[in-house]
Amino acid sequence: MSSEPTRLWGGRFSGGPAQALAKLSVSVHFDWRLVPHDVAASRAHARVLSRAGLLTEDELKQMLGALDDLERACLTGEFLPTIDDEDVHTALERGLIERLGSLGGKLRAGRSRNDQIATDLRLYLRQAARGLAERVLELVQALVDQAQNNLGVPCPGMTHLQHAQPVLFSHQLLAHVQPLLRDLQRLSDWDARAGLSPLGAGALAGSSLPLDPEQVATELGFNAACANSIDAVSDRDFVAEFLFITAMVGVHLSRLGEEVVLWTSQEFGWVTLDDAFATGSSIMPQKKNPDIAELARGKSGRLIGHLTSLLVMLKGLPLAYDRDLQEDKEPVFDAIDTLDLVLPAFAGMIATMRVNADTLREAAPKGFTLATDVAEWLVRQGVPFRQAHEISGEMVALCDKTDRDLEDLDDNELAGISPHLTPEVRHVLSVDGAIAARTTPGSTGLAPVHQQLNDVIDQLDTWRSWVDAPATA
Ligand code: ARG
């Protein structure tokens, strides 16, 4: 073999690239993870060349054998990119030529790195979407299990981080499940749009060779070939959308993480983290810190940043391919790697945390959280809500002034505020009564929460089958 570096564009250049250019240009250190997808696309391309009569049966056989061997060698680490390989495509062509001699050079006919990279990235992301969904599902399962195990435990429901109305803690946990289910839905919606094959677009104009992009698309597990060869090599909407989803997952983890930080504080004491999922302090021996929740909250910043960087990179680009597009990969790879790290830790933290039911139950009525129930009781007695709100507010003011709870007011004090406040109002002055009264679908009563839990559990199997069905051939 010659010791000349493999370069895919040598012909019209008098010498090799300047070192500074080569260093700037190289992407193989991060696009190497696309190897299996680049090889899969190469197999499909080899077959299409053979059907077009551009490779003989025997050449196809040799080509497929060499591709298999090359993939194996890449996976075992026997074949590695060198500093002279500009990108994954260059390295793999070198590997093919090492195996096949000049026959290896035939595979490039009718394709360009422009349609190749767009294809590889779609294949990679469709697989990554399933991996991400699987990890989101693990977190959903942990939340569902906690909701199930703590069914019936009331806690203060909050708005403005102030005690608002009592709710079931399971209801609060399931309120964090719903956004994650929407993320799963987003991934599967995204997958349908991303399921188009750019291969056959060549550099931008398609090919004068009799290729069959639809057949290639089917072989690679895509739903169809891209409709426009210029768009096929320029489009990175699928990356932007993917990064939106990862940013959204990051934001959902961050919001839940923020609550876990609050819940585990001395002031709340709602949950206790398992030792294995909390950290200590190097100086304060008593400390137990919710680092997983904090790292999730912190890392949402970089996930949002990746979406922003991709959109900014794209916004001024003329069609078709521009080298700027190489900047699409590191953000999306890092987004995937980040969530791969965060989600299992987060799910483990949720699965193992101990819910302090007594503390929650005790906190539930604090802050006059039953005042709305008084107002609604008055409405049921025929009092207009506007007036009922005032009456209940006066009860709160009196209790606040005299440092008592709503149920501590005696009959005379109640009657003094309003003749509508008969002693029967005390029936609604209990947390369990307030929660039990909320029977409408989606509300915090035990029956609707139970229903919600069962509906979520029903959906999980559907999502598990989506995760398990491979996207690509
Ligand atoms: N490494 C390039 C990328 O990631 C591959 C495509 C290069 N195409 C080109 N015409 N230079 O986008």
Side-chain angles (χ1 to χ4, degrees):
M1 286 307 318
S2 93
S3 59
E4 275 294 290
T6 308
R7 203 163 293 127
L8 304 185
W9 40 269
R12 63 103 74 205
F13 287 83
S14 52
Q19 256 225 316
L21 162 61
K23 269 171 83 173
L24 170 65
S25 177
V26 68
S27 61
V28 76
H29 52 296
F30 56 80
D31 64 21
W32 189 242
R33 68 170 80 188
L34 298 175
V35 162
H37 309 289
D38 200 77
V39 172
S42 286
R43 283 193 192 100
H45 189 64
R47 289 199 191 95
V48 87
L49 288 179
S50 150
R51 281 193 297 273
L54 301 166
L55 284 181
T56 66
E57 272 299 307
D58 181 56
E59 285 173 328
L60 174 65
K61 225 174 116 207
Q62 287 187 58
M63 189 75 84
L64 292 176
L67 284 168
D68 286 347
D69 183 62
L70 181 56
E71 183 175 29
R72 180 202 52 76
C74 290
L75 295 180
T76 59
E78 181 190 313
F79 181 83
L80 289 172
T82 73
I83 44 164
D84 289 323
D85 292 323
E86 186 179 303
D87 54 24
V88 61
H89 321 294
T90 316
L92 291 179
E93 181 164 312
R94 177 171 60 80
L96 207 56
I97 288 165
E98 279 172 15
R99 280 160 181 75
L100 295 173
S102 63
L103 172 59
K106 282 202 169 187
L107 192 59
R108 217 200 295 161
R111 80 174 178 180
S112 150
R113 283 184 290 168
N114 299 354
D115 60 348
Q116 247 181 302
I117 191 65
T119 305
D120 293 1
L121 196 53
R122 282 176 190 257
L123 291 171
Y124 169 81
L125 288 179
R126 294 189 76 197
Q127 196 173 16
R130 279 139 180 95
L132 174 57
E134 191 173 4
R135 278 173 275 289
V136 169
L137 270 170
E138 282 161 17
L139 174 57
V140 168
Q141 186 67 57
L143 287 162
V144 162
D145 290 345
Q146 288 285 8
Q148 200 153 31
N149 295 337
N150 292 286
L151 210 57
V153 176
C155 71
M158 306 220 188
T159 62
H160 312 266
L161 200 59
Q162 310 290 321
H163 286 208
Q165 296 183 328
V167 296
L168 290 181
F169 189 56
S170 303
H171 195 45
Q172 178 82 10
L173 292 172
L174 290 170
H176 286 287
V177 165
Q178 297 294 336
L180 297 171
L181 292 177
R182 289 195 292 275
D183 291 332
L184 294 173
Q185 189 66 55
R186 280 186 191 97
L187 283 168
S188 96
D189 295 346
W190 168 88
D191 187 58
R193 265 189 306 286
L196 295 176
S197 170
L199 214 58
L204 81 164
S207 180
S208 65
L209 303 173
L211 305 179
D212 186 350
E214 287 298 338
Q215 178 61 34
V216 170
T218 308
E219 265 180 53
L220 289 172
F222 287 114
N223 310 323
C226 291
N228 178 315
S229 62
I230 298 174
D231 179 51
V233 296
S234 317
D235 169 34
R236 292 296 183 276
D237 293 6
F238 67 99
V239 185
E241 282 190 50
F242 193 93
L243 283 171
F244 173 76
I245 299 171
T246 51
M248 197 77 251
V249 171
V251 167
H252 293 148
L253 295 180
S254 182
R255 293 185 75 176
L256 176 53
E258 169 64 12
E259 289 194 13
V260 169
V261 170
L262 289 170
W263 296 346
T264 53
S265 68
Q266 196 79 49
E267 284 68 25
F268 277 67
W270 289 12
V271 306
T272 307
L273 297 185
D274 188 88
D275 281 358
F277 289 91
T279 57
S281 155
S282 53
I283 176 166
M284 298 165 282
Q286 86 287 5
K287 284 298 288 290
K288 187 163 169 183
N289 296 328
D291 286 26
I292 293 174
E294 292 171 298
L295 284 166
R297 197 176 55 188
K299 283 179 191 290
S300 65
R302 71 202 260 175
L303 294 169
I304 295 165
H306 290 328
L307 170 62
T308 310
S309 88
L310 186 93
L311 289 172
V312 174
M313 181 274 281
L314 283 178
K315 71 176 264 301
L317 292 190
L319 308 184
Y321 180 85
D322 304 278
R323 192 62 185 277
D324 317 44
L325 290 171
Q326 179 166 297
E327 291 293 309
D328 60 356
K329 277 171 280 301
E330 283 163 294
V332 80
F333 291 167
D334 183 74
I336 291 162
D337 295 348
T338 297
L339 287 174
D340 268 356
L341 273 179
V342 171
L343 279 164
F346 208 104
M349 171 184 72
I350 296 292
T352 56
M353 72 186 187
R354 207 178 61 237
V355 175
N356 301 324
D358 294 344
T359 311
L360 287 172
R361 177 171 282 283
E362 219 174 286
K366 293 270 161 60
F368 311 113
T369 54
L370 296 168
T372 312
D373 290 84
V374 171
E376 288 181 0
W377 178 82
L378 286 165
V379 166
R380 287 198 295 276
Q381 315 307 310
V383 181
F385 186 78
R386 197 182 153 80
Q387 202 184 333
H389 188 282
E390 292 287 315
I391 295 170
S392 175
E394 278 181 49
M395 283 174 71
V396 169
L398 179 57
C399 290
D400 207 21
K401 206 153 61 201
T402 54
D403 197 19
R404 284 179 299 165
D405 290 328
L406 293 173
E407 69 270 25
D408 300 333
L409 298 180
D410 66 28
D411 293 358
N412 287 338
E413 286 172 311
L414 291 176
I417 291 170
S418 163
H420 297 296
L421 282 178
T422 59
E424 281 69 44
V425 71
R426 295 212 179 76
H427 294 318
V428 299
L429 285 178
S430 86
V431 164
D432 287 335
I435 288 173
R438 283 168 171 78
T439 55
T440 54
S443 67
T444 205
L446 190 59
V449 169
H450 207 244
Q451 182 64 49
Q452 192 193 157
L453 190 58
N454 287 338
D455 290 348
V456 169
I457 292 169
D458 281 350
Q459 290 178 51
L460 295 186
D461 280 341
T462 314
W463 286 120
R464 289 206 176 93
S465 353
W466 185 74
V467 162
D468 290 341
T472 53

